Amino acid sequence: MERIVTFFQKNARNPKGLYTLIMDLDPELYSSSYIPLHSVKHFLTEIVPQLGWGKSGENEVVLDVGCGPGGTTVYLVLPLFPKLQKIIAVDVLPRVIESAKEKNFHPKIEYKVANIEEWSTVEQWKDQITKLVSIHCLHWLKDQRKGFENIFQLLKNGGEAALCFSLATSYHETILEVQKIPKWSRFFKAVDNLVPESHHKKYNHLYYKEMLEGIGFEILYCKEEVKTDIISSDVKYRDFFSSVCGVIPHIPGDQREEFKDDFIQELLRQNGRDTNGLPYLKSNVIELVLRKN
């Protein structure tokens, strides 16, 4: 049975080198299959505007953390802000940022390489950000608390953050299963499989509520829900989830397609298909809107 937990106040005010090495998203595959997940689109186009986003009289300075190749930044984040000074869109991967600059250019978006866990890479924006967005990025962090603390420091007083990330997913369960297969297990021994602590320890919204309030945030909106996102074709399903699978770059080129076959087969076993035969992904997702007072 799906679990939904909502907390809503309408009127309330590893080392860097290892992470960069392992998290090697393929921007070509990711971008070619880019269609915003329905759950993400709903959060950014319906929930966040209900909390007053887009109605500010000031020119917003927005930070998009974990922008990837820029599709979500251009098509979902940018339209939120009719009055906009600029969006600073950051990602830890240089080649992903280069792809974003090329394929999702906009004069009001500055794409930068930065890691929200590494204060030295983001400190230039301390106390300058009016709105911060991070979509399906924070579950990749090794030290989530450090990431949240840095977000707090980046926001201006009264600034807000809209965050969406996975607590546990069938994708991560697939990684844990595939790494047991003898022909693939040796490749996982040398790399971090990037399955988050929240998946292993079954964290829920209460864990994050306590952490975030301890840092100093006011929680305006918090929802934990098991979501099912349908992907429009098998090709897009394969391309997208292969693009974010961190072990693939460490598998010899002549074995990668075979690995992808086994990986996608297990992912389909974990999830299944809808009544129209389309593949989908199940995730326990937390959505948050926070304010720094």
Side-chain angles (χ1 to χ4, degrees):
M1 180 177 179
E2 294 191 354
R3 176 176 55 170
I4 301 176
V5 183
T6 305
F7 173 80
F8 192 6
Q9 290 178 281
K10 283 190 177 179
N11 299 315
R13 298 264 124 288
N14 159 48
K16 180 181 175 185
L18 177 64
Y19 183 86
T20 303
L21 171 67
I22 303 309
M23 186 55 192
D24 193 16
L25 182 149
D26 185 328
E28 296 303 317
L29 284 180
Y30 187 99
S31 296
S32 70
S33 61
Y34 176 77
I35 295 178
L37 296 177
H38 174 75
S39 58
V40 170
K41 190 173 181 180
H42 180 264
F43 178 56
L44 289 179
T45 62
E46 297 188 38
I47 300 300
V48 170
Q50 290 178 28
L51 293 164
W53 283 45
K55 298 176 184 176
S56 171
E58 67 178 313
N59 289 331
E60 303 276 11
V61 178
V62 180
L63 181 64
D64 182 1
V65 175
C67 65
T72 298
T73 313
V74 168
Y75 296 110
L76 293 180
V77 178
L78 183 65
L80 276 172
F81 302 103
K83 290 191 175 181
L84 179 70
Q85 182 176 334
K86 64 180 175 181
I87 296 177
I88 305 156
V90 304
D91 200 279
V92 72
L93 298 174
R95 72 173 181 147
V96 166
I97 289 298
E98 288 307 310
S99 177
K101 289 177 180 178
E102 178 185 347
K103 298 188 175 180
N104 286 303
F105 170 81
H106 189 280
K108 290 198 171 183
I109 301 176
E110 298 177 6
Y111 292 105
K112 304 282 187 180
V113 177
N115 182 351
I116 195 63
E117 286 182 278
E118 296 288 334
W119 178 245
S120 63
T121 71
V122 296
E123 63 180 336
Q124 60 186 299
W125 303 302
K126 185 177 187 293
D127 297 325
Q128 295 181 33
I129 304 301
T130 63
K131 296 288 191 296
L132 184 146
V133 177
S134 184
I135 301 299
H136 286 303
C137 166
L138 299 179
H139 53 255
W140 299 112
L141 302 189
K142 286 301 176 187
D143 187 346
Q144 282 188 328
R145 184 180 185 91
K146 183 63 177 174
F148 289 127
E149 288 172 346
N150 288 346
I151 287 170
F152 188 84
Q153 290 195 74
L154 292 170
L155 289 171
K156 295 175 65 173
N157 288 338
E160 295 178 0
L163 314 173
C164 170
F165 58 95
S166 300
L167 302 181
T169 74
S170 52
Y171 165 84
H172 292 118
E173 197 59 40
T174 296
I175 291 291
L176 294 175
E177 289 300 316
V178 171
Q179 73 179 25
K180 297 175 185 175
I181 300 173
K183 63 181 173 181
W184 306 126
S185 59
R186 63 190 176 94
F187 297 107
F188 285 90
K189 291 176 181 177
V191 301
D192 187 339
N193 63 20
L194 295 177
V195 176
E197 187 175 70
S198 61
H199 185 96
H200 292 296
K201 296 190 176 180
K202 303 187 185 308
Y203 292 155
N204 64 16
H205 70 290
L206 295 174
Y207 171 86
Y208 290 96
K209 182 175 184 292
E210 181 180 2
M211 179 198 296
L212 293 165
E213 289 179 338
I215 290 170
F217 284 109
E218 178 185 0
I219 300 176
L220 304 180
Y221 176 87
C222 176
K223 183 176 184 179
E224 177 187 351
E225 181 180 3
V226 176
K227 297 180 182 290
T228 300
D229 282 296
I230 298 168
I231 310 302
S232 60
S233 74
D234 281 34
V235 171
K236 291 181 183 298
Y237 193 78
R238 181 185 177 94
D239 283 354
F240 179 81
F241 291 109
S242 294
S243 77
V244 297
C245 181
V247 75
I248 287 178
H250 304 277
I251 294 175
D254 61 351
Q255 294 178 268
R256 286 183 189 173
E257 291 306 311
E258 182 183 359
F259 176 87
K260 290 178 185 179
D261 289 342
D262 289 350
F263 172 69
I264 296 300
Q265 183 177 354
E266 177 61 27
L267 190 62
L268 284 167
R269 190 185 74 81
Q270 292 283 340
N271 291 282
R273 296 178 181 273
D274 73 354
T275 54
N276 294 317
L278 294 175
Y280 59 80
L281 179 77
K282 292 179 293 187
S283 306
N284 188 25
V285 173
I286 188 167
E287 297 171 346
L288 295 155
V289 179
L290 313 173
R291 177 180 291 147
K292 175 182 177 178
N293 288 323

